[in-house]
Structure formats: C-alpha cells, structure tokens
Amino acid sequence: MGLRGAFTLLGANALLGAAETDLGNDIRSYRYRSHRVHYRADTAGVLIVQILHHAMDVPHAMGSGA
C-alpha cells in the first residue's frame, strides 16, 4: 500500500488513527512506514493536516511546542 492507499484507508475508517489530544482538538495520527500522518476527521471526511517523519519533533512541527 502506498501513501495514497493509506489516505483511502483513513477516508473509509476515519477513527483508525490514534487520538492525539496533546496536539489539538480532533487531531489523530496514523503510522505509515517511517512517517506519521496527522489528520482531522469529521462528517465531511478526512483532512490531512501534516505528514512527518518519525524522527521529527511532532509538537514543534505542529506548532504546539515551546
């Protein structure tokens, strides 16, 4: 499965990813290979917020770090 396949999977199963309440309201994350796909899910679908490599400082990259 490629990255587009992961997006399709999330679109069909929006609650598949883990809740990331420390990153903001309704942010979820899904591990794809060496990356994390951060997204929001609502009744309209899934919005990909950011894709980060696992070695990155997630709170800083998401704008919620000091």
Side-chain angles (χ1 to χ4, degrees):
M1 169 175 61
L3 195 52
R4 286 184 188 207
F7 295 160
T8 300
L9 180 65
L10 290 173
N13 304 283
L15 299 180
L16 185 62
E20 298 284 358
T21 55
D22 55 323
L23 297 178
N25 284 343
D26 304 321
I27 296 288
R28 302 186 76 81
S29 70
Y30 176 75
R31 183 174 164 225
Y32 174 76
R33 297 187 182 181
S34 61
H35 291 80
R36 283 269 183 207
V37 177
H38 293 95
Y39 67 97
R40 290 185 181 188
D42 62 25
T43 56
V46 170
L47 172 67
I48 305 299
V49 175
Q50 196 163 44
I51 303 168
L52 297 173
H53 188 267
H54 72 85
M56 294 191 71
D57 179 2
V58 174
H60 180 72
M62 296 286 289
S64 59

